[in-house]
Amino acid sequence: MTERRGTPLVGNRFLWPFVLITSLFFVWGMARAILDVLNKHVQETLSVSKGESALLQVTVYGAYFLMALPAGWFIRSRGTRTGVVVGLLLFAAGAFLFVPSGWGSTFYGLLLPLFVIGCGLVMLEVAANPYAAALGDPLTAAGRLNRAQSFNGLGSIVGALAGGLFFFTETAGPASRNVAVPYVVLGAFVLLVALCFVRLRLPEVVVERDLRGPEDCGGRIAPTFYFGLFALFCYEVSEITINTFFINFVSDSGYVSPLHASLLLSFGGLGLFMAGRFAGSALMRRVAAERLLAVCAVGALVCMACVMAGDGWLSVGALVACYVFESIMFPTVFALSLGYAGERRALASSLLMLSVVGGAVGPLLTGHLADAFGLTTAFAVPMVGFAVVLFFAMFSLERGR
């Protein structure tokens, strides 16, 4: 479904609320990126394997699975602003928990603070994704969500850059302090953002139905929605797996140090990721979201094939290039799937956030495969995930004709 030309992504009425909500995308982008850098750091300083270090992702993204439906219920009953404030406070509480837990001096001491942070993140995402999608014409929902998610990419760049400089430079302090300090600083920043939301009022928007077909009528969720849910789960498997083991893949090749690998992740991969979302939101003004999603899925599959070829810098370049192709996938699949939810979009958005548990499954599976067969072979996991996204894009494209 192509957007109407001339239809603004965000009208003047919703411009300021859109800016406020978009700031949350920046916050959780930073949090996720620091976690990806932390994965390599704990392998080196706490002597854990790739499979064991993936428990960091399991802890954070497992919180999504446990909290997505309760978060959705809370937001539907208390409102978006209250949900955002509670999410920010949970995030800050998790960040400050690093202090009584011994400043992250042991691997398992990291897990409780990260779980609380994950609970805060899921509250923010359940509130912000459908709210950003609803701030305007339903036909521009995918483009609008891609625009908001672009700032998630910007937060990821900042988080990966700050984490890499902090964890991998020779002037960094002892390992026991390295883990905690960036989270405590981020927690203090999040408290300031929470104060802004306490003092400001967000307009409650009416979530209009997106008419995709007769099966979307009525108060039930169409069966096709669950295909989108599965595709989003598979995308999360791919995205978080690549982020988690990017530094491992690049630095283990012997070409660069972990510090330079983190800089390549920040300015290379995540820079392309952010640029891809800005470009995607612009292209969707002229190209059907389903068609663009299919093209990007094919591009991601080609990149993964090159990565698995294990051909030195060609594989590294393909891994970096994959970020531009995966950039539009989450917001586009999310928006398309909501279109199949009929009148139950509030419930559907909570169900879609359950898919983020793929960020726990993918790294854990890939980490154990990497320990057994090597990381190059283990990248078959994200390749399969992108294949499912391609099938969903082709299915949605056929329905839209």
Side-chain angles (χ1 to χ4, degrees):
M1 182 173 59
T2 309
E3 299 171 2
R4 290 194 293 261
R5 293 189 181 184
T7 302
L9 286 180
V10 184
N12 292 333
R13 175 189 172 196
F14 294 128
L15 182 58
W16 183 237
F18 184 76
V19 171
L20 289 176
I21 286 294
T22 297
S23 70
L24 302 178
F25 289 77
F26 180 87
V27 168
W28 77 66
M30 283 192 67
R32 287 188 173 194
I34 291 175
L35 181 66
D36 296 329
V37 179
L38 180 62
N39 186 271
K40 175 64 173 177
H41 173 74
V42 299
Q43 292 173 24
E44 294 189 339
T45 59
L46 300 179
S47 300
V48 298
S49 68
K50 294 181 179 66
E52 191 175 9
S53 69
L55 288 176
L56 300 177
Q57 276 72 18
V58 171
T59 299
V60 173
Y61 295 108
Y64 279 77
F65 183 77
L66 295 175
M67 290 296 295
L69 291 178
W73 172 84
F74 182 86
I75 290 166
R76 289 194 299 274
S77 61
R78 299 299 181 90
T80 299
R81 186 181 67 162
T82 303
V84 166
V85 171
V86 170
L88 291 170
L89 292 178
L90 281 171
F91 186 106
F96 293 128
L97 272 176
F98 280 106
V99 180
S101 67
W103 291 83
S105 57
T106 65
F107 177 73
Y108 291 99
L110 302 174
L111 301 185
L112 177 60
L114 288 175
F115 178 78
V116 178
I117 287 174
C119 291
L121 290 177
V122 68
M123 184 75 74
L124 294 179
E125 293 208 44
V126 170
N129 278 301
Y131 193 83
L135 287 173
D137 193 309
L139 291 177
T140 61
R144 185 164 49 253
L145 198 50
N146 268 283
R147 179 66 56 84
Q149 289 275 1
S150 300
F151 290 89
N152 174 268
L154 179 61
S156 297
I157 292 173
V158 174
L161 176 62
L165 292 174
F166 195 82
F167 290 142
F168 298 132
T169 56
E170 294 181 357
T171 57
S176 61
R177 291 182 58 85
N178 282 354
V179 175
V181 171
Y183 280 105
V184 171
V185 172
L186 190 54
F189 171 73
V190 162
L191 283 180
L192 293 177
V193 176
L195 181 62
C196 292
F197 274 91
V198 167
R199 299 180 64 85
L200 296 171
R201 297 185 63 183
L202 294 176
E204 294 296 333
V205 297
V206 177
V207 179
E208 300 178 55
R209 288 173 54 203
D210 189 345
L211 299 179
R212 288 187 172 273
E215 63 181 321
D216 298 330
C217 298
R220 65 186 183 89
I221 296 178
T224 48
F225 163 83
Y226 295 100
F227 187 12
L229 175 62
F230 180 64
L232 204 59
F233 167 82
C234 290
Y235 165 74
E236 286 292 334
V237 167
S238 300
E239 181 204 4
I240 305 305
T241 294
I242 291 172
N243 290 346
T244 300
F245 294 109
F246 182 96
I247 295 176
N248 276 110
F249 185 84
V250 176
S251 63
D252 289 355
S253 67
Y255 292 116
V256 297
S257 66
L259 172 60
H260 291 109
S262 68
L263 294 177
L264 182 60
L265 171 63
S266 177
F267 292 111
L270 295 174
L272 287 174
F273 191 81
M274 182 184 69
R277 282 189 167 167
F278 276 114
S281 65
L283 285 172
M284 286 180 193
R285 306 297 301 277
R286 291 178 168 80
V287 180
E290 301 92 331
R291 188 176 302 278
L292 188 60
L293 179 63
V295 171
C296 287
V298 171
L301 285 170
V302 172
C303 287
M304 284 297 99
C306 293
V307 169
M308 293 185 67
D311 190 11
W313 278 109
L314 173 63
S315 294
V316 171
L319 187 62
V320 173
C322 187
Y323 278 85
V324 75
F325 293 112
E326 71 177 54
S327 62
I328 70 156
M329 290 184 183
F330 181 88
T332 303
V333 175
F334 190 99
L336 291 174
S337 300
L338 277 184
Y340 299 132
E343 296 175 345
R344 306 297 301 278
R345 299 183 83 182
L347 173 61
S349 65
S350 298
L351 292 174
L352 287 172
M353 291 314 304
L354 289 173
S355 69
V356 182
V357 75
V361 175
L364 186 63
L365 177 59
T366 304
H368 285 295
L369 286 174
D371 289 336
F373 304 106
L375 188 53
T376 299
T377 301
F379 268 93
V381 174
M383 189 173 191
V384 172
F386 288 134
V388 175
V389 173
L390 176 59
F391 290 142
F392 175 73
M394 295 172 64
F395 169 81
S396 297
L397 188 60
E398 187 64 29
R399 279 178 52 87
R401 289 178 179 172

